[in-house]
Amino acid sequence: MYDEDELADIREAREDWESETRDPTRERFGERKDRFATVSNLEVDDLYTPNDVADVDYEEDLGFPGEFPFTRGPYPTMYRGRTWTMRQFAGFGTAEETNDRFHFLVENGQTGLSTAFDMPSLMGKDSDDPLSDGEVGKEGVAVDTLRDMEILFDGIDVGEVSTSFTINPSAPVIYAMYVALADRQGVPREEIRGTLQNDMLKEFIAQKEWVIPPAPSLDMVTDTVEFAAEQTPKFHPISVSGYHIREAGSTAVQELAFTLADGFAYVEDALERGMDVDTVAPLLSFFFNSHNSIFEEVAKFRAARRIYARVMEEWYDAEDDASKRLKFHTQTAGQSLTAQQPLNNIVRVTIQALAGVLGGTQSLHTNSFDEALALPGEEAVRVALRTQQIIAEESGAADVIDPLGGSFFVESLTDDVEAEAMAYIEEIREMGDGSVRDGVLTGIDEGYFHREIQGASYEYQERVEEGEEIVVGVNKYTMEEDTRPDILTVDEDTQDRQLERLAAVKDERDDEAVEAALDDVRAAVEAGENVMPSLVEAVKAYATMGEIMDVFAEEHGTYRETVGVV
């Protein structure tokens, strides 16, 4: 973007500035640190100039919003058209309690729903399973049958609202329930909108919620993609999730690289099944973490769009812009929140949310300040939502498209993040002999991802322990405080009420119809057919989550058994 004579003049001027202006001041007053770096420990210089972006080709590397390579945003008008979807994560107790929270959020201006499930539901267990005892409704809503889904969305038109479901091993069952609910409400399947997390590769890499082994888990994910393409084209069947990779301790670069690798693996699996890339790719969405280093996060989001666009075109021959346009949801960094001085978390969340907006996110969840202590209470939830609304309505951050584009620092950092992430992706591809999918599966089997994330996590904690990384209120600016503020608690009788409803459903349903429906699921699994049509019919017969997931475990064995843990 600059000719060589101009760059030479700038280099000479910088040398003069360093020797005549900066160095005398540095010698007199010193600097706060010997080394400055991002949260992910990427070292940053003290000043950036056009020489740091001399290799940037504006049209090839940046372009314009809504045009390849989408570095500056996936849509032409971005937030000048409409703001991002404000999608606060919610779910606890029974379906009735979460339905109340949904209505509370909508009444306070939320523009999309996001559902948290309890651990039994996440793991494909019914509330009356012995392993569920004590966990029912504790960290999310309990959903055992279609009856719970009907109550969860009571008074909510699924044809009008976009809903996200954060669930993975049992995601196809929840998806089937939502499709069945739309059928019951008379909403055409092609009109329902939302997102299913359904990212099983990420589970084996980071979050560690699984039922069956990686390969058959991938088959189930691809079943949902195939079904969505045919039946629910406005519904995203996968949210490829870097969030949990970052929460497990990865760096920003690792989060980006491993997430994109997972996304490319899903594309390859769908292509092997015979689907067209320009049918598959637009169905994918992504989910990233936003941490405290605001410029690193903005660079990560911009690099993500550029890498994705180029790889989809060059490796997978995508032609449609929709296939090269990476769209993503952002959640602020849960692992950055502290139990100490919890109100400080409001500031952290604001910075992280602003990074998501400056980086061009399509939807955003802002964590509540009390989440290091318990499920968020209503006041904390309202503050979290108001944080987004203030950014959207008062800050001006949503008024200009890619406002940090052209910053010497941000463009240089975007290039650095892109280069390091691509090095990881190429390494994964090599592990799979040219296949990203096979490389991801190999990396899971050989513990590659675990080692990389654990190493980064250990290094970060070491910097915190040594005081190199400051966490306000934890290793600096500490104070004596009452660490027992008012927090949300789940009623002790929640489990009893859920068990009563589950028992009632089992008493009322047609047992022969349930068995016939489960046999159809079993037949589809054994034949290697797409299981989604049979799942929809099974949930309509009020087969339970556990009954359905047991069919898959019977056929494939559990992952715990395959790795020798029983």
Side-chain angles (χ1 to χ4, degrees):
M1 291 192 290
Y2 300 88
D3 67 38
E4 191 53 44
D5 289 340
E6 288 178 315
L7 293 173
D9 289 344
I10 292 170
R11 284 194 296 270
E12 183 177 346
R14 173 167 181 157
E15 291 172 1
D16 291 342
W17 168 78
E18 289 176 349
S19 61
E20 297 173 12
T21 304
R22 185 197 67 183
D23 291 349
T25 302
R26 179 187 283 175
E27 290 170 7
R28 183 177 179 186
F29 298 107
E31 291 186 332
R32 291 185 293 111
K33 301 177 183 179
D34 293 332
R35 177 178 180 272
F36 290 81
T38 67
V39 166
S40 297
N41 208 28
L42 286 178
E43 188 165 358
V44 296
D45 206 346
D46 60 350
L47 184 71
Y48 289 78
T49 73
N51 279 286
D52 294 290
V53 293
D55 294 332
V56 172
D57 181 308
Y58 185 86
E59 291 188 5
E60 289 293 321
D61 299 327
L62 299 180
F64 292 91
E67 294 182 357
F68 188 90
F70 304 102
T71 309
R72 306 205 67 184
Y75 300 114
T77 60
M78 290 301 289
Y79 309 137
R80 288 170 70 98
R82 66 179 180 87
T83 60
W84 59 94
T85 300
M86 299 180 191
R87 194 187 296 278
Q88 294 297 103
F89 197 36
F92 65 94
T94 63
E96 289 91 348
E97 291 164 302
T98 298
N99 176 261
D100 288 342
R101 178 61 64 87
F102 280 173
H103 284 285
F104 168 81
L105 288 167
V106 171
E107 289 163 5
N108 276 274
Q110 180 165 305
T111 53
L113 299 177
S114 182
T115 315
F117 295 91
D118 69 359
M119 186 57 70
S121 299
L122 293 173
M123 298 300 295
K125 298 292 184 184
D126 291 333
S127 295
D128 59 2
D129 190 292
L131 291 176
S132 302
D133 189 29
E135 295 293 333
V136 176
K138 285 296 177 70
E139 65 172 26
V141 63
V143 174
D144 294 312
T145 70
L146 180 59
R147 182 70 48 80
D148 295 308
M149 188 70 80
E150 291 166 342
I151 295 169
L152 187 62
F153 287 91
D154 184 36
I156 298 171
D157 184 347
V158 300
E160 296 295 327
V161 69
S162 170
T163 306
S164 174
F165 298 100
T166 301
I167 194 164
N168 295 282
S170 49
V173 182
I174 291 297
Y175 178 33
M177 289 182 183
Y178 200 60
V179 171
L181 178 65
D183 291 349
R184 294 281 168 89
Q185 289 190 0
V187 176
R189 292 181 179 182
E190 61 269 20
E191 294 302 317
I192 61 174
R193 295 175 297 117
T195 304
L196 192 68
Q197 189 163 109
N198 196 29
D199 180 3
M200 281 309 303
L201 294 176
K202 169 266 301 178
E203 290 297 328
F204 294 105
I205 289 171
Q207 197 173 21
K208 310 299 195 301
E209 291 171 2
W210 51 58
V211 177
I212 58 178
S217 292
L218 181 56
D219 287 340
M220 288 180 67
V221 172
T222 306
D223 281 355
T224 65
V225 175
E226 191 173 44
F227 184 85
E230 297 172 356
Q231 299 283 326
T232 63
K234 294 182 180 180
F235 192 92
H236 297 289
I238 313 175
S239 175
V240 191
S241 303
Y243 184 83
H244 309 91
I245 293 171
R246 190 70 177 278
E247 291 290 289
S250 80
T251 66
V253 167
Q254 289 170 339
E255 175 198 357
L256 174 58
F258 299 165
T259 304
L260 291 180
D262 287 349
F264 300 144
Y266 292 126
V267 169
E268 289 181 7
D269 202 65
L271 296 183
E272 186 170 285
R273 191 173 288 197
M275 298 183 69
D276 181 77
V277 66
D278 289 317
T279 298
V280 175
L283 294 174
L284 300 183
S285 67
F286 289 77
F287 174 20
F288 291 112
N289 195 300
S290 188
H291 215 291
N292 289 332
S293 287
I294 188 168
F295 299 109
E296 177 175 57
E297 296 307 307
V298 171
K300 179 185 74 181
F301 299 139
R302 298 172 86 248
R305 286 191 292 267
R306 190 156 70 201
I307 293 171
Y308 185 77
R310 288 173 170 169
V311 168
M312 291 304 298
E313 181 176 84
E314 294 170 12
W315 293 5
Y316 304 114
D317 299 321
E319 296 182 359
D320 294 347
D321 275 352
S323 302
K324 308 171 205 174
R325 182 186 291 119
L326 182 144
K327 298 160 290 187
F328 65 94
H329 170 70
T330 303
Q331 182 173 338
T332 56
Q335 55 109 301
S336 74
L337 304 182
T338 64
Q340 301 91 332
Q341 303 175 38
L343 290 178
N344 292 346
N345 293 327
I346 297 174
V347 182
R348 293 187 178 100
V349 168
T350 302
I351 292 169
Q352 295 161 7
L354 184 60
V357 172
L358 295 175
T361 190
Q362 277 57 73
S363 64
L364 179 62
H365 166 92
T366 33
N367 289 334
S368 300
F369 65 80
D370 56 357
E371 287 189 45
L373 300 163
L375 292 171
E378 281 196 358
E379 180 183 16
V381 167
R382 187 183 291 108
V383 170
L385 180 57
R386 293 289 183 257
T387 299
Q388 293 198 48
Q389 292 164 339
I390 289 169
I391 291 173
E393 306 292 349
E394 299 184 24
S395 74
D399 296 348
V400 176
I401 303 168
D402 189 29
L404 296 181
S407 157
F408 305 133
F409 175 37
V410 170
E411 297 299 355
S412 177
L413 191 56
T414 300
D415 288 349
D416 290 345
V417 170
E418 178 185 16
E420 292 199 24
M422 278 305 302
Y424 264 121
I425 293 169
E426 292 284 9
E427 183 179 3
I428 293 166
R429 195 183 189 198
E430 288 175 11
M431 288 194 295
D433 294 326
S435 165
V436 179
R437 182 195 63 179
D438 293 349
V440 170
L441 292 173
T442 297
I444 290 169
D445 288 343
E446 296 182 356
Y448 166 80
F449 299 104
H450 300 162
R451 289 192 301 275
E452 292 294 316
I453 294 170
Q454 286 169 1
S457 179
Y458 178 83
E459 289 175 7
Y460 172 78
Q461 188 59 37
E462 193 172 42
R463 296 199 306 275
V464 171
E465 297 292 339
E466 293 175 355
E468 181 182 342
E469 191 80 41
I470 299 301
V471 182
V472 172
V474 175
N475 64 356
K476 193 172 184 179
Y477 310 114
T478 58
M479 59 182 285
E480 294 294 326
E481 58 184 316
D482 181 3
T483 58
R484 297 169 297 169
D486 292 335
I487 58 176
L488 175 69
T489 57
V490 177
D491 292 340
E492 291 299 322
D493 65 349
T494 292
Q495 179 166 310
D496 293 337
R497 287 185 283 118
Q498 184 65 21
L499 292 179
E500 287 173 6
R501 175 154 61 236
L502 178 55
V505 170
K506 288 182 175 180
D507 286 342
E508 295 165 6
R509 68 187 186 178
D510 183 334
D511 289 340
E512 291 185 0
V514 171
E515 285 304 316
L518 291 174
D519 284 343
D520 288 342
V521 174
R522 191 172 290 109
V525 173
E526 292 173 351
E529 298 172 351
N530 192 307
V531 299
M532 283 305 305
S534 60
L535 289 187
V536 173
E537 295 308 311
V539 299
K540 285 183 176 180
Y542 292 95
T544 71
M545 172 76 75
E547 290 168 339
I548 294 170
M549 291 304 296
D550 282 348
V551 172
F552 294 97
E554 290 166 7
E555 175 67 18
H556 299 295
T558 67
Y559 185 57
R560 291 170 64 86
E561 291 169 342
T562 63
V563 296
V565 179
V566 294

